[in-house]
Amino acid sequence: MIELFIATLASIFSVVNPLGAVPVYLAMTPEYTQKERNRTSRLTSLYFFLILSLFFLAGTWILGFFGISIGAMRIAGGLVIMSSGYTLLTGNISKSGATSKKVTEEALHKEDISFAPLAMPLLSGPGSISLLITYFDEYPLWWQKGTIVGVILTMAVIVYLILRFAPLLYQILGEAGLRALSRIMGFIVMSIGVQFIIGGISKVF
């Protein structure tokens, strides 16, 4: 159980990459008070947990409804994860669809940015969703599914803490430090994507 928890947490943390969201989060909340930032952090982590838990528990039903096989989901999810990893590896996180200049400008005029664009699609995007849907099929036992839900809850707490202390983290690590960490995460994420594609091809054939 502990091995599953640690392995799943490492994979989801790499794909979600909450540290990479720090500069984007700060750019969207330049005029927020500390109280407003705390509230946004809490709501974002709550939405993050609910979104990923929902897709994890209902994902295979959704696939069945649309007639999509788990093998096809693995291949498509692998491609999405690889794309996310490449974005992190090249340091172009600010150019991704979830964090474009237009999205940032729109967020500056919204009263609440915790659900969109923070919780979705910045943190709980297609990569993490496809990862969890395939995990639901890969780990059929109830205790395994419960462990993964616990991982999602742990990740939500990590997301809250990172956003809560985002200004401090930015001061300590700086833009260069966060980019360096994102590049390391990018390599790991691309490797996860390749593994998913291999698993999907094996499942199909």
Side-chain angles (χ1 to χ4, degrees):
M1 181 182 291
I2 295 176
E3 291 181 359
L4 174 63
F5 183 91
I6 294 173
T8 306
L9 181 63
S11 297
I12 295 178
F13 185 89
S14 300
V15 174
V16 172
N17 188 27
L19 288 172
V22 168
V24 180
Y25 171 69
L26 293 177
M28 291 180 179
T29 59
E31 298 181 0
Y32 276 36
T33 64
Q34 188 59 50
K35 184 177 180 180
E36 290 172 330
R37 280 204 172 116
N38 292 347
R39 178 180 178 274
T40 301
S41 301
R42 285 195 302 271
L43 288 175
T44 300
S45 61
L46 175 62
Y47 290 139
F48 173 86
F49 173 75
L50 293 176
I51 291 167
L52 290 190
S53 295
L54 175 63
F55 276 100
F56 173 64
L57 297 173
T60 51
W61 181 84
I62 296 171
L63 292 184
F65 180 79
F66 288 103
I68 302 171
S69 69
I70 195 67
M73 181 66 183
R74 276 181 169 271
I75 295 172
L79 291 172
V80 171
I81 293 170
M82 276 189 65
S83 176
S84 300
Y86 180 77
T87 300
L88 295 173
L89 193 62
T90 54
N92 291 328
I93 187 171
S94 61
K95 296 180 182 179
S96 66
T99 58
S100 65
K101 185 177 180 181
K102 183 177 180 181
V103 171
T104 303
E105 290 177 352
E106 184 178 298
L108 291 172
H109 297 92
K110 290 182 66 176
E111 291 186 7
D112 184 13
I113 61 171
S114 54
F115 182 80
L118 287 181
M120 178 181 278
L122 181 59
L123 293 169
S124 51
S128 55
I129 289 171
S130 60
L131 183 71
L132 287 168
I133 290 175
T134 53
Y135 277 169
F136 188 89
D137 177 75
E138 187 174 342
Y139 299 106
L141 301 179
W142 67 267
W143 68 265
Q144 293 174 323
K145 297 185 191 303
T147 300
I148 294 174
V149 171
V151 170
I152 298 172
L153 178 60
T154 303
M155 267 305 307
V157 174
I158 292 172
V159 165
Y160 167 74
L161 292 174
I162 288 176
L163 295 183
R164 171 72 172 76
F165 297 103
L168 179 61
L169 288 171
Y170 191 80
Q171 286 180 358
I172 295 173
L173 298 174
E175 186 75 25
L178 290 170
R179 284 184 178 274
L181 287 173
S182 291
R183 285 188 171 94
I184 295 171
M185 292 291 182
F187 179 76
I188 298 172
V189 170
M190 286 192 72
S191 301
I192 294 171
V194 171
Q195 187 62 50
F196 261 66
I197 292 172
I198 294 172
I201 294 173
S202 301
K203 195 91 173 176
V204 169
F205 293 102

